């Protein structure tokens, strides 16, 4: 078979979110498969790994990368909304996000390298649901909501309920991630992004930690955490979060903190690292974050 004889995907570029939802719903109703493609940095790679099955019907590709409702970053009061198809490049250069959520912009700077940042999106990162996903870890620390759209309207899913298993999410087949929303961390919040990989760029995390510590009248009142590559899904570290607020970061001995980390993660051996190394690094990152969580006098 020559290249010219290979079956091709149908390709459409819907003009609006409503058009995309209508196509998705119509085709799902007829049992026809549709693939949404934003940056293509996950999907295209997966196609190379799984060669086209010859002769079969290929799914329709819906290019959602230019749908206006999925683009841009909006800040209204203390809420931020990031379009599902906004790129890492846009996120890392957004001035209000850099000021208020430096952890998120640091994460965006660490994804792949410039080529991936120019195409890749948070919507794609959340939909692929890799346990190593950096964007998902940062959004977990922000306790973000994932807003999905379909012909039936919108649905808001707290990120803690988004990942339902290894590479599985709460998204229904006829739903499109429209945007991600979260409350901006309070002024003075302590924010950390730490990615441990083989090298500085083009490296999938061995372990990554996103962390936000918020203060009220000098007391740490909320800690948000997201950790990548230590469990089948992005880890929220609930036991560790609770310890940070009570008894508080300075009152937790290291061995109690390490035990809490171990309870919250389930690392494995794979091609990138070992379970033992991941557990060690996870503890070290959390200890490091706790050490920087000090009572502050005036942060609101
Ligand atoms: C060289 C390289 C380096 C990488 N480095 C990193 C890294 O450092 N950190 C990291 O986290 N990831 C990394 N990735 C993975 C990838 O770039 C990210 O996961 C990226 O966020 C995917 O976004 P995308 O828009 O390209 O997704 P796409 O490939 O367009 O889509 C991925 C999946 O999500 C679905 N999807 C996309 N948008 C939506 C939506 N709005 N609603 C519903 N479903 C949707 C698609 O149908 C598809 O199944 C890397 C990839 C490559 C190739």
């Amino acid at each position: 078979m020559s290249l010219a004889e290979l079956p091709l995907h149908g390709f459409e570029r819907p003009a609006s979110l409503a058009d995309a939802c209508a196509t998705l719903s119509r085709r799902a109703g007829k049992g026809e498969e549709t693939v949404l493609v934003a940056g293509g940095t996950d999907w295209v790679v997966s196609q190379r790994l799984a060669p086209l099955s010859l002769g079969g019907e290929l799914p329709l590709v819906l290019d959602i990368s230019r749908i206006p409702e999925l683009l841009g970053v909006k800040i209204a009061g203390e809420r931020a909304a990031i379009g599902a198809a906004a790129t890492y490049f846009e996120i890392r250069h957004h001035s209000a996000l850099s000021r208020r959520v430096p952890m998120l912009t640091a994460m965006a700077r660490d994804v792949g390298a410039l080529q991936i940042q120019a195409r890749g999106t948070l919507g794609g990162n959340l939909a692929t649901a890799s346990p190593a996903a950096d964007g998902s870890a940062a959004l977990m620390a922000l306790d973000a909501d994932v807003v999905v759209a379909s012909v039936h309207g919108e649905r808001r899913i707290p990120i803690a309920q988004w990942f339902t298993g290894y590479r599985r999410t709460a998204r229904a087949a006829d739903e499109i991630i429209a945007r991600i929303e979260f409350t901006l961390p309070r002024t003075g919040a302590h924010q950390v992004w730490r990615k441990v990989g083989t090298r500085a760029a083009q490296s999938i995390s061995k372990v990554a930690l996103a962390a936000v510590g918020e203060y009220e009248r000098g007391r740490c009142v909320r800690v948000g955490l997201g950790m990548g590559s230590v469990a089948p899904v992005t880890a929220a570290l609930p036991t560790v979060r609770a310890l940070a607020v009570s008894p508080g970061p300075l009152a937790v001995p290291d061995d109690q903190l390490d035990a809490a980390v171990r309870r919250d993660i389930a690392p494995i051996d794979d091609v990138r690292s070992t379970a033992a190394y991941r557990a060690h690094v996870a503890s070290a990152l959390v200890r490091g974050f706790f050490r920087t969580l000090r009572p502050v006098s005036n942060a609101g």
Side-chain angles (χ1 to χ4, degrees), residues 142-159:
L142 293 165
D143 289 327
D145 289 332
V146 185
V147 181
V148 294
S150 74
V151 289
H152 306 297
E154 284 190 355
R155 200 159 69 93
R156 177 180 298 272
I157 304 164
I159 192 162

Side-chain angles (χ1 to χ4, degrees), residues 78-93:
E78 292 304 297
R79 290 288 286 177
I82 301 182
T87 62
Y88 295 107
F89 186 83
E90 184 173 357
I91 292 165
R92 68 174 276 191
H93 287 102

Side-chain angles (χ1 to χ4, degrees), residues 129-217:
S130 158
D134 292 331
S136 301
L139 295 174
M140 187 66 81
L142 293 165
D143 289 327
D145 289 332
V146 185
V147 181
V148 294
S150 74
V151 289
H152 306 297
E154 284 190 355
R155 200 159 69 93
R156 177 180 298 272
I157 304 164
I159 192 162
Q161 292 159 29
W162 175 254
F163 303 104
T164 55
Y166 177 69
R167 290 182 180 263
R168 293 169 55 142
T169 73
R171 183 179 84 88
D174 65 344
E175 289 177 325
I176 298 176
I177 304 169
R179 61 187 180 280
I180 297 103
E181 293 186 5
F182 54 88
T183 301
L184 294 168
R186 296 165 209 229
T187 308
H190 184 64
Q191 303 185 35
V192 162
W193 170 252
R194 292 291 309 277
K195 173 167 171 167
V196 176
T198 308
R199 49 185 182 268
Q202 299 292 29
S203 175
I204 299 174
S205 302
K206 292 176 190 237
V207 181
L209 173 71
V212 177
E214 297 189 73
Y215 302 87
E216 207 174 84
R217 287 189 288 279

Side-chain angles (χ1 to χ4, degrees), residues 241-292:
R241 286 181 185 221
L243 285 178
V245 175
S246 175
L250 299 183
V252 188
D254 281 348
D255 56 350
Q256 191 186 351
L257 191 54
D258 292 347
V261 172
R262 278 198 302 278
R263 194 168 314 133
D264 284 346
I265 65 176
I268 57 165
D269 295 331
D270 68 9
V271 287
R272 276 176 287 123
S273 192
T274 64
Y277 180 74
R278 287 185 159 119
H280 176 77
V281 173
S283 280
L285 293 180
V286 169
R287 280 191 193 193
F289 174 63
F290 264 51
R291 263 183 225 117
T292 59

Side-chain angles (χ1 to χ4, degrees), residues 24 34-46 64 70 84-86 88 107 110-113 116-117 119-130 132-136 148 162 171 175-179 195 201-205:
L24 207 51
T34 309
V35 173
L36 304 170
V37 174
T41 61
D42 270 329
W43 185 73
V44 173
V45 174
S46 73
I64 57 170
L70 304 190
Y88 295 107
M107 178 281 297
D110 265 359
V111 170
I116 296 297
Q117 292 165 18
R119 295 286 316 173
T121 67
L122 286 181
N125 203 246
L126 286 167
T128 297
S130 158
D134 292 331
S136 301
V148 294
W162 175 254
R171 183 179 84 88
E175 289 177 325
I176 298 176
I177 304 169
R179 61 187 180 280
K195 173 167 171 167
Q202 299 292 29
S203 175
I204 299 174
S205 302

